[in-house]
Amino acid sequence: METVEVLHMNGGAGDFSYANNSLLQSKVISMSRPITDEAINNVYCSTFPTTFTIADLGCSSGPNTLMAVSQLIKALENVRQKLKKKPIEYQVFLNDLPGNDFNTIFKSLPNFVGNLKKEIGGDVGPCLFTGVPASFYGRLFPTKSVHFIHSSYSLHWLSKVPEGLEENKRNIYMVNTSPKSVVKAYYKQFQKDFGLFLKCRGEELVKGGGMVLTLLGRRSQDPTSKECCYIWELLAMALNDIVSEVLFQKPYS
């Protein structure tokens, strides 16, 4: 089965849902706000379109999804009202893999739009939302149709498990004992995926459009450093322990 068919964050609003376990991602969106505000305002002020299209790629579900969109629209509206331009129609595309909990997002939209307009004040144009269930490692939108693309904490996820990991036994990611061929396989897959992503987005953005992409990185040149890989090493250890317990468990009499 393809990765795109099964991979997604936990939906709903339970204790183990992404919505209730994404505080770090929320902080990243807040930290990058000055950058996104400046970028989206530059796009708007270059042409002053009356319909403005925003795409959030890897939106997941929960408060972070609409938090990012809210910040973008508020930043643009602040500039528009200061310049006394006519109200804008907003088209917002929310993209994630098909298994994403889009239903939870859609149920929250009426309250979100109502509260957003109250917070902004003044004459705010229509805010139209569309869900786009597909991998962003491929085309998502018509040619030259999107003004601004935003993606936070999503692009470090690859489109597939790299080929050539057979020697990376008992591990689920790169570790300091992984052969060089494994590190090279991950690097090669990221190059392929990111190149395809940029190519597709380049075709979809309008002339003068913009993007802000935030993804997990590291300060160290070591691709297996603990600052980015340690959590996966711990998870692999836990999975190995579970397998060992199952293999050596005595059968019921």
Side-chain angles (χ1 to χ4, degrees), residues 171-241:
N171 294 307
I172 59 175
Y173 193 50
M174 296 178 292
V175 295
N176 57 8
T177 58
S178 296
K180 290 183 178 180
S181 60
V182 170
V183 176
K184 185 176 180 181
Y186 275 103
Y187 177 68
K188 183 178 180 181
Q189 186 63 48
F190 177 78
Q191 279 191 313
K192 180 180 179 181
D193 286 345
F194 196 56
L196 179 59
F197 177 91
L198 293 177
K199 178 179 182 295
C200 292
R201 305 295 83 80
E203 294 173 1
E204 295 163 350
L205 280 170
V206 302
K207 184 178 180 180
M211 293 195 299
V212 172
L213 312 174
T214 308
L215 60 157
L216 189 63
R218 64 176 187 272
R219 291 179 291 269
S220 171
Q221 293 186 0
D222 178 10
T224 65
S225 66
K226 291 188 181 296
E227 64 181 319
C228 62
C229 298
Y230 191 49
I231 185 173
W232 305 113
E233 188 173 349
L234 292 175
L235 181 58
M237 292 169 62
L239 291 173
N240 281 315
D241 287 345

Side-chain angles (χ1 to χ4, degrees), residues 106-143:
F106 296 151
K107 289 177 182 178
S108 66
L109 285 178
N111 286 336
F112 168 76
V113 173
N115 291 334
L116 178 65
K117 290 187 175 183
K118 287 180 182 178
E119 291 176 19
I120 293 174
D123 190 9
V124 182
C127 297
L128 311 174
F129 287 80
T130 302
V132 184
S135 169
F136 49 51
Y137 293 121
R139 284 293 300 272
L140 297 170
F141 315 112
T143 302

Side-chain angles (χ1 to χ4, degrees), residues 49-68:
T50 55
T51 297
F52 198 96
T53 302
I54 298 170
D56 188 32
L57 310 187
C59 67
S60 193
S61 63
N64 289 353
T65 300
L66 300 178
M67 172 186 176

Side-chain angles (χ1 to χ4, degrees), residues 68-155:
V69 173
S70 174
Q71 290 181 0
L72 291 170
I73 294 177
K74 286 178 181 177
L76 203 156
E77 279 295 311
N78 184 47
V79 171
R80 181 193 69 81
Q81 292 181 16
K82 284 182 178 178
L83 296 175
K84 298 182 179 180
K85 294 291 183 180
K86 293 182 178 180
I88 303 170
E89 290 184 345
Y90 290 100
Q91 171 67 65
V92 180
F93 290 118
L94 300 175
N95 158 258
D96 212 309
L97 296 177
N100 185 55
D101 186 7
F102 285 101
N103 285 339
T104 297
I105 299 174
F106 296 151
K107 289 177 182 178
S108 66
L109 285 178
N111 286 336
F112 168 76
V113 173
N115 291 334
L116 178 65
K117 290 187 175 183
K118 287 180 182 178
E119 291 176 19
I120 293 174
D123 190 9
V124 182
C127 297
L128 311 174
F129 287 80
T130 302
V132 184
S135 169
F136 49 51
Y137 293 121
R139 284 293 300 272
L140 297 170
F141 315 112
T143 302
K144 300 186 185 308
S145 63
V146 182
H147 293 88
F148 192 81
I149 292 173
H150 174 265
S151 181
S152 182
Y153 252 56
S154 297
L155 273 165

Side-chain angles (χ1 to χ4, degrees), residues 8 48 62 80 133 163 187:
H8 60 84
F48 297 111
R80 181 193 69 81
E163 297 178 1
Y187 177 68

